Amino acid sequence: MNAEHLQLCASDEWRDVLRDLILPYALADARLGDDVLEVGPGPGMTTDLLRVEVPRLTVVELDEQLAAALAVRLAGTNVEVVRADATAMPFDDGRFTGAVSFTMLHHVPTADLQDRLFADVARVLRRGAMFVASDSVASEDLAALHHHDVYNPVHPGTLDARLANAGFASVEVRFNDFGWAAHAVR
């Protein structure tokens, strides 16, 4: 993530957008259970909001500095921070009761890697568990924000098939002009 983008994602304004708009839209009617996985927390704004709603939260972050900062900041809480690649997570099959990913999939550089991430999330979820993902829709403004950064937005019209191919069933995708949210059951 470039410095400008990281600063935005760690801001109070972004936390307010997450709290008031993105999470309520994405999590509407979601049942995540008591052992939840968050993929790609970045600076942890979604983590801060989620950890007060679930008994146990495990976050997987690829970036070494972001993972280390989260681990220090969240030490002694109900959050376990794991530095790992979400396309090959170090968890047992069927461990989690739910999984989430918010506004990070566009940072995964290729569609193949995004699909591998979806498949590994399916692998670590229990049968019947829900995966909730959301992200923004492609725009020139967002592309500009991602200068010198990865920007590979997921088209919401492709999610049904991609999540089904990864091992999910009952896929529901909602989208508007600004973003999309998907619920998929393992």
Side-chain angles (χ1 to χ4, degrees):
M1 220 184 288
N2 67 46
E4 177 187 3
H5 189 188
L6 185 58
Q7 183 178 8
L8 173 67
C9 289
S11 70
D12 290 339
E13 293 80 14
W14 181 242
R15 181 186 358 257
D16 293 346
V17 169
L18 288 166
R19 183 194 65 225
D20 299 339
L21 300 173
I22 294 173
L23 268 61
Y25 179 72
L27 291 172
D29 300 320
R31 291 174 204 83
L32 297 173
D34 59 4
D35 190 8
V36 179
L37 171 69
E38 180 184 9
V39 178
M45 292 293 133
T46 52
T47 307
D48 288 337
L49 297 167
L50 288 169
R51 71 185 179 95
V52 299
E53 301 296 327
V54 299
R56 180 176 177 169
L57 182 62
T58 301
V59 299
V60 171
E61 176 56 56
L62 179 63
D63 183 276
E64 184 174 358
Q65 291 178 331
L66 290 173
L70 273 176
V72 168
R73 184 166 68 79
L74 297 172
T77 70
N78 63 331
V79 178
E80 176 186 4
V81 178
V82 177
R83 183 179 175 271
D85 182 340
T87 66
M89 292 181 276
F91 305 118
D92 292 337
D93 295 358
R95 172 181 162 187
F96 295 100
T97 61
V100 297
S101 177
F102 298 108
T103 63
M104 66 71 62
L105 289 166
H106 65 269
H107 286 286
V108 180
T110 67
D112 179 60
L113 288 172
Q114 290 168 344
D115 291 342
R116 287 174 44 195
L117 182 151
F118 295 149
D120 213 43
V121 169
R123 179 188 66 79
V124 301
L125 282 176
R126 295 177 190 166
R127 187 159 306 285
M130 182 176 282
F131 176 43
V132 175
S134 75
D135 211 329
S136 52
V137 294
S139 76
E140 289 181 19
D141 288 341
L142 287 175
L145 176 65
H146 289 81
H147 62 88
H148 305 295
D149 197 353
V150 172
Y151 183 61
N152 182 31
V154 175
H155 189 286
T158 67
L159 280 167
D160 280 346
R162 292 174 72 184
L163 290 169
N165 287 337
F168 289 99
S170 303
V171 177
E172 174 198 326
V173 180
R174 295 174 284 121
F175 59 95
N176 57 38
D177 290 341
F178 304 103
W180 56 263
H183 289 190
V185 176
R186 170 70 176 97

